[in-house]
Amino acid sequence: MTTLIVDAQNLGYRTWFAVQDTTTSPYDAYIDVLRDVARMTGASRRIAAVERSRSFRYALLPGYKDGRTQRTSEQQAFLDALPKLARKAGFEVWHAHAHEADDVMATMAVASTGPVLIVTNDRDLYACVNDRIHVLVPDDDAPDGFRRIDEAAVLNSFGVRPPLIPLFRALAGDARDKISGVRQLGKVKALPILQAYSTLDEIYTHLPTLDPKLQRLFDSTPREHVELCLKVATLVTDAPIEEYTGDLSPAITVTAAPVAALNVHILAHRDHLVADTANQKLFVRLTLTPTAAARDARPDLSVAFLLDTSASMSDDVTDGDDDADQEPKTKMDLVIEAMQTIIADPGLTTRDRFALIRFDEEPVILTTFTPAQNHEVLSEAIDALDSEGPSTFMGAGMREATDLLLTEHGSRRLILLTDGQTVDEDDVNEETERLAQANIPVTTVGVGDDVNTDLLVHITDRTQGLPIDIVPDTHHPYPPAIRASELPAALLEELRRAANEVVTDVSLTARLVRDVQLERITRVHPTQTEVDCTRIPLALGNVDATHGATYLLEFTLPARPAARMRIAQLSCTYRVPGLRVSEQTSPMDIIVTYTPDQALSARVAPDVMQWVQQRNLEQLIASATRQASTDPAQAQRTLQLARNMTQHLNNGVMTVAVDRALQELHRTQSLSAGTSKTLRLGTKTQTIHAQDPDLPTEEEIRHHTGL
């Protein structure tokens, strides 16, 4: 069975110029040419290779292919139509992102099992020629319009065997592609070297034995440059090919500048998937790490403090000390102490700005955004705090805070402190969406057991914020909950964390190949939140200078035949407020290999799977807290599985928290609101990096959670 592979653009150019000064349409002529080639070769499989994106070689070698003639608008329109014309002629159309059509042809030729005929006049493809793969060069003087290039013809043309052509080009240079090679070596001097040695290592090993003039030429060109030329000259035979259907942009051009502030890495939980099997899961870890330039660029802060001043804030939360003549402290006492501690922080700059809003029955702006070092104005606003309001309208307060934040620049944040329920939850949800759309994270500080934990988690998930769990000292809290007396330190730490988020407004664009589904994205480190997958582009929040940020992407994949394929393409946009820049990363491909080999598909990356299981810990805890009120026995089994997982993850804080919950469940056959809150918020904040191959499987988790 013969496979015919056509260089679509190369043949397109030839067709375009052949019909100039005639009445023949180049579009019709191109279809006729393809059909004629197919009939002439009698090939049973017909493939057109196209180039729909900028090659990786341009980034490797400055000046690569410079000086090519610019296309006219009519030519470009014709070239853009080639994939459709090829399909009309009965050809499959294949491409590979960030690779040239040459790489597509080389990859498909090598992967084919029978005879292969490649139609092109690009001599770079001669490197593929062997006893099975031949090149057909269009030639009007040839009997059938094509000149066949076999191994003998390559040797006669180049003077070297096909596998040595890339090395020959790397040494001698290629004027057409602007590959400079070894300075002043040229083809004549390069040829005898390649007749003696077949690898670059061999050449440099025997360099002292070469003619001194040749040695000086090699010495005048850094070896690193020659190696780079070799990489550019070498055809890729395992390119991430995919059939071109128009699902992706027909011509993707990378125009973004090199990443200067953010390092981006992706890792799939497995490289191989079972061929011809639908609905397989693929988990991809996305890691964002600021570069040194970004880490050193502390952003200006604009923080709005939204403080609950309802009557319940006057409740005592610490024990007094008669011996020290120390009165118990109320929630409001600690809020005032926390705010005074914050404005006295020496780490604040003259460009940091704070706003204070109180809310109970109605919101009151105590101060609009004011420089953080204006202690007099801020202290006066703090002194105006009290706790007398009869009810809590959190949504109204959030509206005032959001309006103020939208006028600010730099790194923006809302810190919301409350100790109870709200009577305007719909308004809260509406303001949460406004904040999410503006990429403003919200830190929620829930004091006591009466807060609406589900609502606070919703706010922090939607805005990529952080929930903080504060428990009165009188309740004898345990980690991961924070004692009320530690509130001032906790708020100061949160402020410093905000200042450490040097990369902000990170958005992810995911371009998916046909039938691939992106089901879920979860930030799993340094805290855990869900990303709204309905919002395009996908808002990932901010990135910490110290810890970076880690995300887990969950894909569901369609059935595909055995091949190496791209299933998605990712790119990020972001701001670096401290550098006053906005940037975009170059596209990154997620590539997998479909294989009939079950053993290969069973191999997984533990470093990705530990994040999968850590994400699932939250699912287990949430299920257990729901089950506790109706089925304590099932809740105990679910919590035990969660405990095992925390041990495997070496998450000691959560292991202790789950142990205490198990004891309470055994003793009372239920879980208190405070325990449930501590567990749920703990899974959001107590995320750590660990590896253990013995984590529970997805099937075990579904069995215990019913999901």
Side-chain angles (χ1 to χ4, degrees), residues 57-104:
R57 294 176 175 87
Y58 288 92
L60 288 179
L61 191 64
Y64 179 64
K65 290 190 176 181
D66 272 357
R68 296 286 178 95
T69 304
Q70 294 295 313
R71 301 164 185 163
T72 66
S73 58
E74 292 83 2
Q75 287 174 331
Q76 189 60 58
F78 172 64
L79 295 175
D80 287 343
L82 295 184
K84 291 183 179 180
L85 299 177
R87 282 200 293 268
K88 190 172 182 179
F91 280 64
E92 304 170 30
V93 180
W94 289 75
H95 74 129
H97 177 70
H99 290 73
E100 298 177 30
D102 294 4
D103 301 316
V104 177

Coordinates of all heavy atoms in Angstrom, one line a residue, residues 57-104:
R57 N 11.8 26.8 15.0 CA 13.2 27.2 14.5 C 13.5 28.7 14.5 O 14.6 29.1 14.7 CB 13.4 26.6 13.1 CG 13.4 25.0 13.1 CD 13.5 24.5 11.7 NE 13.7 23.0 11.7 CZ 12.6 22.2 11.6 NH1 11.4 22.7 11.6 NH2 12.8 20.9 11.6
Y58 N 12.4 29.5 14.3 CA 12.6 30.9 14.3 C 13.1 31.4 15.7 O 13.9 32.4 15.7 CB 11.3 31.6 14.0 CG 10.9 31.5 12.5 CD1 10.1 30.4 12.1 CD2 11.4 32.4 11.6 CE1 9.7 30.3 10.8 CE2 11.0 32.2 10.2 CZ 10.1 31.2 9.8 OH 9.8 31.0 8.5
A59 N 12.6 30.8 16.7 CA 13.1 31.2 18.1 C 14.5 30.7 18.4 O 15.2 31.3 19.1 CB 12.1 30.7 19.1
L60 N 14.9 29.6 17.7 CA 16.2 29.1 18.0 C 17.3 29.8 17.3 O 18.4 30.1 17.8 CB 16.3 27.6 17.6 CG 15.5 26.6 18.4 CD1 15.7 25.2 17.8 CD2 16.0 26.5 19.8
L61 N 17.0 30.2 16.0 CA 18.1 30.8 15.2 C 17.6 32.1 14.7 O 16.9 32.2 13.7 CB 18.4 29.8 14.0 CG 19.7 30.2 13.2 CD1 20.9 30.1 14.1 CD2 19.8 29.2 12.0
P62 N 18.1 33.2 15.3 CA 17.7 34.6 14.7 C 18.1 34.7 13.3 O 19.2 34.3 12.9 CB 18.5 35.5 15.6 CG 18.8 34.7 16.9 CD 18.9 33.3 16.5
G63 N 17.2 35.3 12.5 CA 17.5 35.4 11.1 C 17.1 34.3 10.2 O 17.2 34.3 9.0
Y64 N 16.5 33.2 10.8 CA 16.1 32.0 10.1 C 15.1 32.4 9.0 O 14.1 33.0 9.2 CB 15.5 31.0 11.0 CG 15.0 29.7 10.4 CD1 15.9 28.9 9.8 CD2 13.7 29.4 10.4 CE1 15.5 27.7 9.2 CE2 13.2 28.2 9.9 CZ 14.1 27.3 9.2 OH 13.7 26.2 8.7
K65 N 15.5 32.0 7.8 CA 14.6 32.3 6.6 C 14.3 33.7 6.3 O 13.4 34.1 5.6 CB 13.3 31.5 6.7 CG 13.5 30.0 6.5 CD 12.2 29.2 6.4 CE 12.4 27.7 6.1 NZ 11.2 27.0 5.9
D66 N 15.2 34.6 6.8 CA 15.0 36.0 6.5 C 15.2 36.3 5.0 O 15.9 35.6 4.3 CB 16.1 36.9 7.3 CG 15.6 37.2 8.7 OD1 14.4 36.9 9.0 OD2 16.3 37.9 9.4
G67 N 14.5 37.3 4.6 CA 14.7 37.8 3.2 C 13.8 37.1 2.2 O 13.9 37.4 1.0
R68 N 12.9 36.2 2.6 CA 12.0 35.6 1.7 C 11.0 36.7 1.1 O 10.7 37.7 1.8 CB 11.1 34.6 2.4 CG 12.0 33.4 2.9 CD 12.4 32.5 1.8 NE 13.2 31.4 2.2 CZ 12.7 30.1 2.5 NH1 11.4 29.9 2.4 NH2 13.5 29.2 2.9
T69 N 10.6 36.5 -0.1 CA 9.7 37.5 -0.8 C 8.4 37.5 -0.1 O 7.8 36.5 0.3 CB 9.5 37.1 -2.3 OG1 10.8 37.0 -2.9 CG2 8.7 38.1 -3.0
Q70 N 7.9 38.7 0.2 CA 6.6 38.9 0.8 C 5.5 38.5 -0.1 O 5.5 38.7 -1.4 CB 6.4 40.4 1.2 CG 7.3 40.8 2.3 CD 7.1 40.1 3.6 OE1 6.0 39.9 4.1 NE2 8.2 39.6 4.2
R71 N 4.5 37.8 0.4 CA 3.3 37.4 -0.4 C 2.4 38.5 -0.6 O 2.2 39.4 0.2 CB 2.6 36.3 0.3 CG 3.5 35.1 0.6 CD 2.8 34.2 1.6 NE 3.6 33.1 2.0 CZ 3.4 32.3 3.1 NH1 2.4 32.6 3.9 NH2 4.3 31.3 3.4
T72 N 1.7 38.5 -1.8 CA 0.7 39.5 -2.1 C -0.6 39.0 -1.3 O -0.7 37.8 -0.9 CB 0.4 39.6 -3.6 OG1 -0.1 38.3 -4.0 CG2 1.6 40.0 -4.3
S73 N -1.6 39.9 -1.2 CA -2.8 39.5 -0.6 C -3.5 38.4 -1.3 O -4.1 37.5 -0.7 CB -3.7 40.7 -0.4 OG -4.0 41.3 -1.7
E74 N -3.4 38.4 -2.7 CA -4.0 37.3 -3.5 C -3.3 36.0 -3.3 O -4.0 35.0 -3.1 CB -4.0 37.7 -5.0 CG -4.8 38.9 -5.3 CD -4.1 40.2 -5.1 OE1 -3.0 40.2 -4.6 OE2 -4.8 41.3 -5.3
Q75 N -2.0 36.0 -3.2 CA -1.3 34.8 -2.9 C -1.6 34.2 -1.5 O -1.8 33.0 -1.4 CB 0.2 35.0 -3.0 CG 0.8 35.2 -4.4 CD 2.2 35.6 -4.4 OE1 2.7 36.2 -3.4 NE2 2.9 35.3 -5.5
Q76 N -1.7 35.1 -0.5 CA -2.0 34.6 0.8 C -3.4 34.0 0.9 O -3.6 33.0 1.5 CB -1.9 35.8 1.8 CG -2.0 35.4 3.3 CD -0.9 34.4 3.7 OE1 0.3 34.7 3.5 NE2 -1.3 33.2 4.1
A77 N -4.3 34.6 0.2 CA -5.7 34.1 0.2 C -5.7 32.7 -0.4 O -6.4 31.8 0.0 CB -6.6 35.0 -0.6
F78 N -4.9 32.5 -1.5 CA -4.8 31.2 -2.2 C -4.2 30.2 -1.3 O -4.7 29.1 -1.1 CB -4.0 31.4 -3.5 CG -3.7 30.1 -4.2 CD1 -4.7 29.2 -4.7 CD2 -2.3 29.7 -4.3 CE1 -4.3 28.0 -5.3 CE2 -2.0 28.5 -4.9 CZ -3.0 27.7 -5.4
L79 N -3.1 30.6 -0.6 CA -2.4 29.6 0.3 C -3.3 29.2 1.5 O -3.3 28.1 1.9 CB -1.1 30.3 0.8 CG 0.0 30.5 -0.3 CD1 1.2 31.2 0.3 CD2 0.4 29.2 -1.0
D80 N -4.0 30.2 2.0 CA -5.0 29.9 3.1 C -6.0 28.9 2.7 O -6.6 28.2 3.5 CB -5.6 31.2 3.6 CG -4.6 32.0 4.4 OD1 -3.6 31.5 4.8 OD2 -4.9 33.2 4.6
A81 N -6.3 28.8 1.4 CA -7.4 27.9 0.9 C -6.9 26.5 0.6 O -7.7 25.6 0.3 CB -8.0 28.5 -0.4
L82 N -5.6 26.3 0.6 CA -5.0 25.0 0.2 C -5.6 23.8 1.0 O -5.8 22.8 0.4 CB -3.5 25.1 0.4 CG -2.7 26.0 -0.6 CD1 -1.2 25.9 -0.5 CD2 -3.2 25.8 -2.0
P83 N -5.7 23.9 2.4 CA -6.3 22.8 3.1 C -7.7 22.4 2.5 O -7.9 21.2 2.3 CB -6.4 23.3 4.5 CG -5.3 24.3 4.6 CD -5.3 25.0 3.3
K84 N -8.6 23.3 2.3 CA -9.9 23.0 1.7 C -9.8 22.4 0.3 O -10.5 21.5 0.0 CB -10.8 24.2 1.7 CG -11.2 24.7 3.1 CD -12.1 25.9 3.0 CE -12.5 26.4 4.4 NZ -13.4 27.6 4.4
L85 N -8.9 23.0 -0.5 CA -8.7 22.5 -1.8 C -8.2 21.1 -1.8 O -8.6 20.2 -2.6 CB -7.8 23.4 -2.6 CG -8.2 24.8 -2.8 CD1 -7.1 25.6 -3.5 CD2 -9.5 24.9 -3.6
A86 N -7.3 20.8 -0.9 CA -6.7 19.4 -0.8 C -7.8 18.4 -0.4 O -7.8 17.3 -0.9 CB -5.5 19.4 0.2
R87 N -8.6 18.8 0.6 CA -9.7 17.9 1.0 C -10.6 17.6 -0.2 O -11.1 16.5 -0.4 CB -10.4 18.5 2.2 CG -9.7 18.3 3.5 CD -10.6 18.4 4.7 NE -11.1 19.7 4.8 CZ -10.5 20.7 5.6 NH1 -9.4 20.4 6.2 NH2 -11.0 21.9 5.6
K88 N -10.9 18.7 -1.0 CA -11.8 18.6 -2.1 C -11.2 17.6 -3.1 O -11.9 16.9 -3.9 CB -12.0 19.9 -2.8 CG -13.1 19.9 -3.8 CD -13.5 21.3 -4.3 CE -14.6 21.3 -5.3 NZ -14.9 22.7 -5.7
A89 N -9.9 17.5 -3.2 CA -9.2 16.6 -4.1 C -9.1 15.2 -3.6 O -8.5 14.3 -4.3 CB -7.8 17.2 -4.5
G90 N -9.6 15.0 -2.4 CA -9.6 13.6 -1.8 C -8.4 13.3 -0.9 O -8.1 12.1 -0.7
F91 N -7.7 14.4 -0.4 CA -6.5 14.2 0.4 C -6.9 14.4 1.9 O -7.7 15.3 2.2 CB -5.4 15.2 0.0 CG -4.6 14.8 -1.2 CD1 -5.3 14.7 -2.5 CD2 -3.3 14.5 -1.1 CE1 -4.5 14.3 -3.6 CE2 -2.6 14.1 -2.2 CZ -3.2 14.0 -3.5
E92 N -6.2 13.7 2.8 CA -6.2 14.0 4.2 C -5.3 15.3 4.3 O -4.3 15.4 3.6 CB -5.7 12.9 5.0 CG -6.4 11.6 4.9 CD -5.6 10.5 5.6 OE1 -4.9 10.8 6.6 OE2 -5.7 9.3 5.2
V93 N -5.6 16.1 5.3 CA -4.7 17.3 5.6 C -4.2 17.2 7.0 O -5.0 17.1 7.9 CB -5.5 18.6 5.3 CG1 -4.6 19.8 5.6 CG2 -6.1 18.6 3.9
W94 N -2.9 17.2 7.1 CA -2.3 17.1 8.5 C -1.3 18.3 8.7 O -0.7 18.8 7.8 CB -1.5 15.8 8.6 CG -2.5 14.6 8.7 CD1 -3.2 14.0 7.6 CD2 -2.8 13.9 9.8 NE1 -3.9 13.0 8.1 CE2 -3.7 12.9 9.4 CE3 -2.4 13.9 11.2 CZ2 -4.2 11.9 10.3 CZ3 -2.9 13.0 12.1 CH2 -3.8 12.0 11.7
H95 N -1.2 18.7 10.0 CA -0.2 19.7 10.4 C 0.3 19.4 11.8 O -0.2 18.4 12.4 CB -0.9 21.1 10.3 CG -1.9 21.3 11.5 ND1 -1.8 22.5 12.3 CD2 -2.9 20.6 11.9 CE1 -2.8 22.4 13.2 NE2 -3.4 21.3 13.0
A96 N 1.2 20.2 12.2 CA 1.8 20.0 13.6 C 2.1 21.4 14.1 O 2.9 22.2 13.4 CB 3.0 19.2 13.6
H97 N 1.5 21.8 15.2 CA 1.8 23.1 15.7 C 3.2 23.4 16.0 O 3.9 22.5 16.6 CB 1.0 23.3 17.0 CG 1.2 24.7 17.6 ND1 0.8 25.8 17.1 CD2 1.9 25.1 18.7 CE1 1.1 26.9 17.8 NE2 1.8 26.4 18.8
A98 N 3.7 24.6 15.7 CA 5.1 25.0 15.9 C 6.1 24.2 15.1 O 7.3 24.3 15.4 CB 5.4 25.0 17.4
H99 N 5.6 23.5 14.1 CA 6.5 22.8 13.2 C 6.2 23.1 11.8 O 5.1 23.6 11.4 CB 6.4 21.2 13.4 CG 6.9 20.8 14.7 ND1 6.3 21.0 15.9 CD2 8.0 20.1 15.0 CE1 7.0 20.5 16.9 NE2 8.0 19.9 16.4
E100 N 7.2 22.8 10.9 CA 7.0 23.1 9.5 C 6.4 21.9 8.8 O 6.3 20.8 9.3 CB 8.4 23.4 8.9 CG 9.0 24.7 9.5 CD 10.4 25.0 8.9 OE1 10.6 24.6 7.8 OE2 11.2 25.5 9.7
A101 N 5.9 22.1 7.6 CA 5.3 21.0 6.8 C 6.4 19.9 6.5 O 6.0 18.7 6.5 CB 4.8 21.6 5.4
D102 N 7.6 20.3 6.5 CA 8.7 19.3 6.3 C 8.7 18.3 7.5 O 8.9 17.1 7.3 CB 10.1 20.0 6.3 CG 10.3 20.9 5.1 OD1 9.3 21.0 4.3 OD2 11.4 21.4 4.9
D103 N 8.5 18.8 8.7 CA 8.4 17.9 9.8 C 7.2 17.0 9.8 O 7.3 15.8 10.2 CB 8.4 18.7 11.1 CG 9.6 19.7 11.3 OD1 10.7 19.2 11.0 OD2 9.4 20.8 11.7
V104 N 6.1 17.5 9.3 CA 4.9 16.7 9.2 C 5.1 15.6 8.2 O 4.8 14.4 8.4 CB 3.7 17.6 8.7 CG1 2.4 16.7 8.5 CG2 3.4 18.7 9.7

